[in-house]
Amino acid sequence: MSKITAAITGVHGYLPETVVTNHDLAKIVDTTDEWILSRTGISERRIMKNGASSDMGTEAVKALLAKKGIDPLDIELVIVATVTPDHPFPSTANIICDKVGMTNAWGFDLIAACSGFIYALQTGSKFIEAGTHKKVLVVGVDKMSSIIDYEDRTTCVIFGDGAGVVLLEPNTENLGVMDAILRSDGSGRHYLIQPAGGSANPATLETVQNRDHFVKQEGKTVYKFAVTNMAEVSAEIMEKNNLKSEDINWLVPHQANLRIIDATAERCGIPKEKVMINIQKYGNTTAGTLPLCLWDWEKQLKKGDNLLLSAFGGGFTWGSVYLKWAYNS
Ligand code: UT7
């Protein structure tokens, strides 16, 4: 019997309508379009005015199921990567299942910040490879605007809101997720963190007054770790799978900073035209970036294409997934 692999057989996304440009942000914090564009590559981002992460996830999932003609009752498992769940509990996966009518599915949330989607993709793949599940949804969603301090120019210019989802199904043609290298180093937790709201610092008047429920980032330190580790892990997975740069059809990098993306592409010898970049439109949507790239490029992807997904984020967490695209659209 041929080996079962987990293939992505569909992708969709959701972006809120409201566009916030660099010029808009320059009206509320001391920044400029030139600074943001030259340091990050971002021109604008989407912000969700009303609603929660589950609403974006629900829209993306409903559209994917409609596109594929799949009954919500056929979905068996939903994994939601997010750092902005609707609530600490119940899980956003539970809420999305309810809103979409996926009443036969079980689900859970997974926290790995900007690496959330690749962690969830690898996790979901294992349920397919084990033969126990045939239809698994992996959602990456973040409403970053709910935890961003719009008085802090060092973070508010970077992040945006958005959701993406992929469907995983069994494949016997050796397509789909081929390999993954996932890493974490909790000693990096101090450099990118939402300090309050969890069990270490439950909400008090003081935590709110100190603005400790917002994301705090030591940008320069995170940049140094991100630029090295994202590039190294991408090169490592290529070497491990005997992939030369010309074998890679698409690099799918986490969209945190154009300079980090460029460094990763350069380290892997992958030319710019094979690198998915949409950071200029959406900013950093945390767990949303990778599925949103796949959605934006879906029509250009061909069956058998070699894709390298790479990410780095809070934790620290980072990693790379090598997958073979499974369909022509
Ligand atoms: O996805 C999760 C992982 N996160 C990342 O990968 C983010 C990694 N870090 C970065 O992308 C970059 O460090 C940032 C984009 C966050 C910052 O860029 P940078 O080139 O590292 O700038 P910096 O933090 O060294 O700041 C340089 C200067 C500072 O002023 P002084 O001290 O030199 O006077 C900042 O105060 O730029 C100032 N600055 C700004 N100026 C205008 C910081 N933010 C802004 C701003 N507008 N928005």
Side-chain angles (χ1 to χ4, degrees):
M1 213 174 84
S2 43
K3 190 178 155 220
I4 297 172
T5 52
I8 294 177
T9 55
V11 59
H12 214 83
Y14 174 82
L15 290 152
E17 274 172 25
T18 305
V19 175
V20 175
T21 66
N22 293 348
H23 297 287
D24 295 330
L25 289 175
K27 288 178 198 149
I28 58 171
V29 289
D30 181 14
T31 191
T32 60
D33 175 50
E34 197 279 328
W35 192 96
I36 303 170
L37 194 56
S38 62
R39 299 289 177 122
T40 68
I42 301 166
S43 290
E44 56 187 46
R45 70 286 296 141
R46 302 295 185 90
I47 298 297
M48 192 182 209
K49 286 272 167 81
N50 299 303
S53 289
S54 71
D55 296 308
M56 290 192 282
T58 295
E59 290 299 323
V61 168
K62 276 185 175 169
L64 175 60
L65 298 186
K67 181 162 96 176
K68 294 281 300 173
I70 291 174
D71 188 331
L73 297 175
D74 291 340
I75 300 298
E76 297 159 309
L77 167 62
V78 178
I79 306 176
V80 177
T82 186
V83 291
T84 52
D86 289 22
H87 310 282
F89 77 91
S91 79
T92 305
N94 292 162
I95 299 169
I96 293 175
C97 285
D98 179 50
K99 287 181 175 173
V100 176
M102 298 183 288
T103 48
N104 291 324
W106 64 288
F108 60 92
D109 293 359
L110 182 156
I111 302 176
C114 297
S115 308
F117 183 75
I118 54 172
Y119 271 47
L121 182 63
Q122 172 73 343
T123 306
S125 295
K126 294 298 158 193
F127 288 92
I128 299 280
E129 288 168 14
T132 56
H133 291 65
K134 298 211 163 25
K135 283 189 170 41
V136 174
L137 291 178
V138 177
V139 179
V141 57
D142 272 300
K143 186 186 174 186
M144 293 306 290
S145 62
S146 66
I147 56 167
I148 289 299
D149 183 352
Y150 285 93
E151 291 184 10
D152 176 6
R153 68 174 183 175
T154 68
T155 50
C156 76
V157 301
I158 301 171
F159 293 98
D161 302 339
V165 55
V166 298
L167 174 66
L168 293 177
E169 292 183 283
N171 183 283
T172 50
E173 297 176 281
N174 205 32
L175 298 169
V177 176
M178 298 285 108
D179 196 15
I181 301 177
L182 300 173
R183 298 256 153 77
S184 71
D185 176 1
S187 68
R189 66 191 178 279
H190 309 290
Y191 305 114
L192 181 49
I193 188 167
Q194 183 186 353
S199 58
N201 285 313
T204 62
L205 194 53
E206 203 186 356
T207 61
V208 173
Q209 280 164 346
N210 288 343
R211 311 181 79 75
D212 283 342
H213 294 266
F214 292 126
V215 171
K216 310 281 179 196
Q217 175 172 245
E218 217 178 284
K220 263 238 160 344
T221 309
V222 177
Y223 182 89
K224 279 185 200 152
F225 278 95
V227 84
T228 312
N229 287 313
M230 206 166 111
E232 282 311 313
V233 78
S234 308
E236 189 183 338
I237 202 166
M238 284 174 63
E239 207 169 304
K240 190 176 161 212
N241 290 278
N242 296 316
L243 293 165
K244 307 249 171 309
S245 47
E246 56 271 23
D247 298 326
I248 303 296
N249 299 94
W250 295 100
L251 174 65
V252 193
H254 171 53
Q255 312 281 307
N257 187 314
L258 190 54
R259 291 180 287 149
I260 299 172
I261 295 172
D262 287 345
T264 303
E266 194 177 325
R267 174 72 178 80
C268 299
I270 299 171
K272 197 114 189 193
E273 62 272 15
K274 292 185 176 179
V275 184
M276 295 187 190
I277 299 171
N278 57 15
I279 191 172
Q280 70 283 1
K281 297 190 286 183
Y282 312 140
N284 182 350
T285 55
T286 304
T289 60
L290 296 180
L292 282 170
C293 278
L294 295 175
W295 184 41
D296 271 359
W297 268 264
E298 184 187 20
K299 291 203 166 47
Q300 295 179 57
L301 297 174
K302 302 213 165 36
K303 189 172 175 179
D305 276 358
N306 286 324
L307 273 61
L308 206 59
L309 280 59
S310 297
F312 183 91
F316 294 135
T317 56
W318 68 100
S320 195
V321 172
Y322 160 43
L323 65 85
K324 280 185 176 291
W325 197 249
Y327 63 96
N328 298 312
S329 21

